[in-house]
Amino acid sequence: MNTKIQRHRFSIGFTSSLLGLGLWASLATLPVSSRAEDSKAATMSKPKLSLGFSIDKMDTAVSPRQDFYRFAAGKWVDATVIPPDKVRVSSLYQLNDEVVAKQVQAILEQSAVQSIKAPKNSPLQQVGDFYASGMDVKRLEALGVAPLKPLVDRLNAINSPQTLAKQLAQVPLSLLLTAAVGPDKEDSTVNIVYFSIGDLPLSQERYLSPDAAAIRAAYLNYIAANLEIAGSSPSEAATAAKKLLAMETRIASKSLTPLEKKDPTKTFKRISFAALQSLLPNVDLKTYFKELSLPIDKPLLAIDLRALAEINQMLKDYSIADIKLYLRWQLLYQTKDQLTPAFNKPELAFKRVINGEKYELPSRTEWVSGQVISLFGHPVSQLYVKAYFSPQAKQQVEDMIGRIRTRFRARLVANPWLSPATRQAALEKLDRTMIKVGYPDQWIDYTRVAIRRDDYFGNTLNTAQFFQQRMFAQLGKPVTRDEFSIPRVTLPLVVNAAFNQGVNGIEIPAAFLQPPNYDAKVDPAVNFCAMGAVIGHELTHGFDSLGRLFDAKGNLRNWWTDADVAKFNAQTDKLVKQADAYEVLPGLKINGKLTVTENLADVGGVSLAYEALQEYLNEHPQDRRTIDGYTPEQRCFLSWAQLWAIKIREGELRNQVATDSHSPDAYRTFAPLQHEAGFFKAFGIKPGDPMWLDEKDRVKIW
């Protein structure tokens, strides 16, 4: 599924996530398969990988002083094969694919049976009927693209700036320009209007990099094939595809880079409505705002001024026919996965150019599950928590949170380089950091959403409209926040954890509290350097290169002295240098500036977890014992490395390096450990060893 169908439900881009895309991305961003062997594919045997820590994953023929990743997880790497319908495999992804996905699948299948007799608009009726509508392949094949016709007719009727603005406002999709409502970056107690361009189908790197020429060529064929299914002739589709790619490339060339997007002062610009209209004279913003009942007498936050200006220029350079072509393509791209499965053929062809000829699309059951989760996250999560969540695990993890937070606070108090004013502000921020585990105190009420068993497309559109109306209704009211609500990031059934700068809070979803992240049956060392390090990672995000720009209330505010900033940057520059030197593939290196926030969070997470473990062992000396030949300290670092062991397709890896603020997982297995003195002591690593990092190059910020 292309997630832009639900643009109005998302927060305004402020979440630092442990895993970047989140594990449901593999389900929610890929189209379903209509292959005859779907049911067979769903039951085919896949590699059975140990979810949690295991010495069987280690390759002890390799010295930890030479290659710690191979030592910690070499046998796992050698034995693991990426399934045809996946782009990566790791213990975390295995938790999602082989545990959580099956748990959710059981809930959905049972709901689909029981929903027929369930009360209308109850979570059971909505979830079950939504899932059943997506699984009705025969009906979807018979309908073809017919459900799209009313929206296409509306776009075809555009003949002026006024009608363009009206349709952009009324269609609950991000076709060209989009508005949203959310907490103000500088005052998180007040809601404000955000205005931006719509997202593009490809990453910026794939539009612009010379190395991505083959992907662009395949994308041209992909556009044309989709247009043909929608009714264009081959010649019309081919001509249109070239024009559409040129238009998208123009937008991409003027958009902020992934690195620039990490700076909120570059991304968000507070301007008046008049200033926005001046920037976009070719857009009838008065009509657009009127259709959405948005005020024009209050300031707003514009996102990516360069890209907005380019959209305005394109509205002048291109004919109305070309603009309508672009809108129809965006509409088709964002909704085709709720239409006939015929669209899977070009999708598979395109994905194979990126992921290899052996790549297959996910099964239909797998994909529809991801679709329902993305759109009906809270109702499905309610059923999931009731069936699978362990209150005991929550209590034990909350105890670990207390330990990690206490260690962090002690470090801030003893910090030798922060000025008194900055230290006091940091302590206030840490003390006010909210950490939630499991699920929200209050679930989102979906009872107003009409879900039918025979209308997959309509169900999706109705849900998007529900979130649009719900979001715009918040303007002018006190800020209320939906906990555990971001699809693929913080829903209770997502395998992830995340820090939200605008809230100054952390959410650890229920599904995350399972091996390899947390296992009540293993020794404390393993848990501290898995779950404990994740907690420390998220806490550190509040004080990383981005998080430090937000204060204790979640407001974008500089609370640092210039001298403190200089000292902070001197330390983070070491992380940039370390990452820049790491070669991911021949000729491809990590972008240290792009990944510095996540790399610092990893360093902080590991260090805090290790210190908290030492404190715990001092309190519980009976747990300071050697197991399978390894001390608690060694098992701690091995646990972290095994958590991030991964197999990933080259195309996916290259795109991650170009666009993601997270370093490749293989790097994460050892790089943060090199800043912890206990790591070198635990494995006898000495100067001259490949795993050694000179003390002058180590980071000690928090």
Side-chain angles (χ1 to χ4, degrees):
M1 183 196 78
N2 185 289
T3 54
K4 294 283 90 63
I5 189 80
Q6 45 180 317
R7 62 164 173 121
H8 291 296
R9 71 175 302 181
F10 287 127
S11 302
I12 313 294
F14 47 56
T15 299
S16 295
S17 168
L18 177 70
L19 300 168
L21 292 176
L23 295 181
W24 281 106
S26 61
L27 304 183
T29 61
L30 295 175
V32 299
S33 170
S34 60
R35 297 169 294 168
E37 66 268 28
D38 245 9
S39 60
K40 177 182 177 182
T43 58
M44 286 175 62
S45 62
K46 295 180 179 180
K48 295 298 181 183
L49 310 174
S50 173
L51 277 176
F53 175 80
S54 173
I55 61 171
D56 294 334
K57 295 181 178 181
M58 300 171 60
D59 183 357
T60 55
V62 177
S63 169
R65 298 163 56 187
Q66 300 294 315
D67 185 344
F68 190 71
Y69 180 24
R70 286 290 312 177
F71 174 73
K75 287 186 177 179
W76 180 91
V77 172
D78 292 342
T80 299
V81 177
I82 303 175
D85 61 341
K86 306 296 178 188
V87 296
R88 69 185 81 194
V89 179
S90 71
S91 291
L92 289 167
Y93 279 82
Q94 185 189 7
L95 169 58
N96 178 77
D97 296 340
E98 302 216 358
V99 178
V100 178
K102 290 182 178 180
Q103 292 169 337
V104 172
Q105 187 62 39
I107 290 172
L108 294 177
E109 290 179 354
Q110 184 179 37
S111 297
V113 173
Q114 298 175 343
S115 63
I116 298 175
K117 297 182 179 181
K120 187 176 180 180
N121 292 349
S122 65
L124 181 60
Q125 180 268 318
Q126 292 173 318
V127 170
D129 284 356
F130 201 160
Y131 178 74
S133 70
M135 293 301 296
D136 192 350
V137 174
K138 289 185 178 180
R139 181 174 180 81
L140 293 174
E141 290 174 336
L143 288 172
V145 296
L148 206 56
K149 187 176 186 304
L151 292 178
V152 172
D153 288 345
R154 287 164 61 176
L155 296 181
N156 284 337
I158 293 173
N159 57 15
S160 66
Q162 292 75 25
T163 54
L164 171 62
K166 186 174 182 178
Q167 293 307 322
L168 288 177
Q170 289 183 351
V171 176
L173 302 170
S174 181
L175 301 182
L176 182 68
L177 298 167
T178 185
V181 169
D184 191 337
K185 290 293 179 185
E186 296 179 7
D187 183 356
S188 59
T189 66
V190 175
N191 283 308
I192 194 171
V193 174
Y194 289 76
F195 194 83
S196 69
I197 67 168
D199 287 346
L200 296 172
L202 301 182
S203 67
Q204 186 180 54
E205 185 266 347
R206 286 177 173 169
Y207 284 110
L208 305 179
S209 172
D211 295 336
I215 292 177
R216 288 192 293 274
Y219 182 57
L220 268 179
N221 294 333
Y222 172 76
I223 297 175
N226 279 292
L227 293 177
E228 285 188 50
I229 295 172
S232 298
S233 69
S235 60
E236 290 173 337
T239 300
K242 292 179 182 178
K243 183 165 291 184
L244 290 166
L245 177 57
M247 296 173 80
E248 290 176 6
T249 301
R250 276 190 62 169
I251 299 171
S253 68
K254 297 297 183 179
S255 298
L256 293 172
T257 67
L259 182 58
E260 289 173 326
K261 289 179 180 178
K262 287 175 62 65
D263 185 345
T265 63
K266 292 182 179 178
T267 302
F268 303 98
K269 296 296 181 182
R270 185 179 302 274
I271 61 175
S272 66
F273 175 85
L276 182 65
Q277 184 65 84
S278 179
L279 180 69
L280 298 167
N282 297 315
V283 180
D284 185 355
L285 288 178
K286 285 188 177 179
T287 296
Y288 183 90
F289 274 54
K290 181 179 179 180
E291 286 293 322
L292 294 174
S293 299
L294 299 178
I296 62 173
D297 60 346
K298 298 183 183 299
L300 53 90
L301 289 176
I303 300 175
D304 197 342
L305 295 184
R306 287 201 313 251
L308 285 170
E310 185 65 13
I311 291 288
N312 180 73
Q313 186 61 40
M314 290 171 64
L315 289 171
K316 179 180 179 181
D317 294 345
Y318 287 97
S319 68
I320 190 67
D322 290 339
I323 298 301
K324 289 194 288 188
L325 169 66
Y326 183 87
L327 297 178
R328 289 195 302 271
W329 162 239
Q330 288 296 322
L331 174 65
L332 179 64
Y333 176 75
Q334 295 177 35
T335 62
K336 63 185 177 59
D337 301 328
Q338 287 77 45
L339 301 170
T340 170
F343 288 108
N344 295 331
K345 184 176 180 180
E347 186 74 26
L348 179 59
F350 181 50
K351 294 296 184 182
R352 281 182 170 174
V353 172
I354 298 172
N355 298 322
E357 283 300 315
K358 294 183 179 180
Y359 178 78
E360 296 290 347
L361 298 178
S363 68
R364 183 165 196 84
T365 55
E366 187 176 16
W367 184 85
V368 175
S369 295
Q371 163 78 348
V372 176
I373 289 166
S374 290
L375 290 171
F376 261 72
H378 268 205
V380 180
S381 294
Q382 283 181 270
L383 300 174
Y384 178 85
V385 168
K386 182 179 180 180
Y388 297 109
F389 186 55
S390 167
Q392 292 78 16
K394 179 179 181 179
Q395 182 179 358
Q396 292 162 357
V397 168
E398 287 176 340
D399 176 74
M400 191 178 293
I401 289 171
R403 291 178 177 274
I404 300 293
R405 190 198 288 264
T406 298
R407 289 295 88 216
F408 203 146
R409 197 177 202 287
R411 289 184 177 191
L412 287 176
V413 170
N415 185 288
W417 57 268
L418 280 177
S419 65
T422 304
R423 178 186 292 106
Q424 185 57 42
L427 287 168
E428 180 188 0
K429 181 170 185 177
L430 179 65
D431 291 343
R432 292 187 61 158
T433 300
M434 298 179 292
I435 306 178
K436 299 277 189 175
V437 179
Y439 54 90
D441 294 329
Q442 182 173 342
W443 299 97
I444 296 174
D445 182 3
Y446 280 69
T447 53
R448 292 192 291 116
V449 185
I451 298 297
R452 289 170 42 183
R453 201 173 181 86
D454 61 352
D455 191 3
Y456 193 35
F457 182 86
N459 292 338
T460 304
L461 203 63
N462 287 345
T463 308
Q465 290 172 333
F466 163 73
F467 277 104
Q468 172 179 314
Q469 294 166 2
R470 186 174 183 269
M471 176 190 63
F472 284 127
Q474 295 300 310
L475 194 62
K477 298 179 180 179
V479 171
T480 58
R481 300 183 183 273
D482 296 322
E483 298 174 350
F484 293 93
S485 64
I486 304 176
R488 303 185 294 144
V489 180
T490 63
L491 286 174
L493 40 65
V494 168
V495 180
N496 196 25
F499 176 82
N500 185 329
Q501 289 96 356
V503 176
N504 187 26
I506 296 168
E507 292 178 349
I508 305 174
F512 197 75
L513 274 62
Q514 302 179 72
N517 307 308
Y518 182 79
D519 186 348
K521 299 187 295 294
V522 302
D523 52 299
V526 170
N527 280 330
F528 267 93
C529 280
M531 178 59 75
V534 168
I535 295 166
H537 172 107
E538 299 304 337
L539 272 176
T540 304
H541 268 313
F543 305 85
D544 64 19
S545 302
L546 174 60
R548 72 170 189 80
L549 302 178
F550 293 80
D551 64 17
K553 296 180 181 179
N555 296 325
L556 183 60
R557 181 178 68 85
N558 183 15
W559 46 277
W560 290 62
T561 67
D562 291 342
D564 289 335
V565 171
K567 293 173 183 177
F568 177 90
N569 289 338
Q571 289 292 308
T572 57
D573 284 347
K574 297 178 183 180
L575 291 175
V576 173
K577 180 180 178 182
Q578 181 189 21
D580 281 342
Y582 183 77
E583 192 170 53
V584 180
L585 294 168
L588 179 67
K589 293 186 177 181
I590 297 175
N591 183 336
K593 290 183 178 180
L594 177 63
T595 58
V596 66
T597 55
E598 294 296 335
N599 292 338
L600 177 56
D602 280 349
V603 170
V606 168
S607 181
L608 286 165
Y610 181 73
E611 185 175 330
L613 171 64
Q614 296 304 310
E615 178 187 58
Y616 177 90
L617 292 174
N618 289 337
E619 296 174 2
H620 303 83
Q622 70 276 13
D623 287 324
R624 190 181 290 278
R625 65 188 191 280
T626 299
I627 302 175
D628 295 325
Y630 297 98
T631 66
E633 290 76 12
Q634 291 173 323
R635 290 172 68 83
C636 166
F637 297 122
L638 288 168
S639 175
W640 169 265
Q642 289 191 2
L643 186 67
W644 298 107
I646 193 167
K647 294 290 284 288
I648 184 170
R649 296 184 189 275
E650 182 176 326
E652 181 71 10
L653 180 58
R654 289 185 178 277
N655 192 55
Q656 178 187 352
V657 171
T659 64
D660 198 342
S661 61
H662 297 77
S663 292
D665 288 2
Y667 178 78
R668 298 176 76 176
T669 61
F670 69 90
L673 307 183
Q674 293 178 306
H675 299 272
E676 178 54 56
F679 170 63
F680 302 113
K681 181 179 180 180
F683 294 98
I685 300 171
K686 301 176 180 179
D689 291 336
M691 286 293 99
W692 177 261
L693 186 67
D694 286 342
E695 190 167 357
K696 64 179 177 60
D697 296 321
R698 299 176 201 167
V699 171
K700 282 291 184 184
I701 298 181
W702 308 120

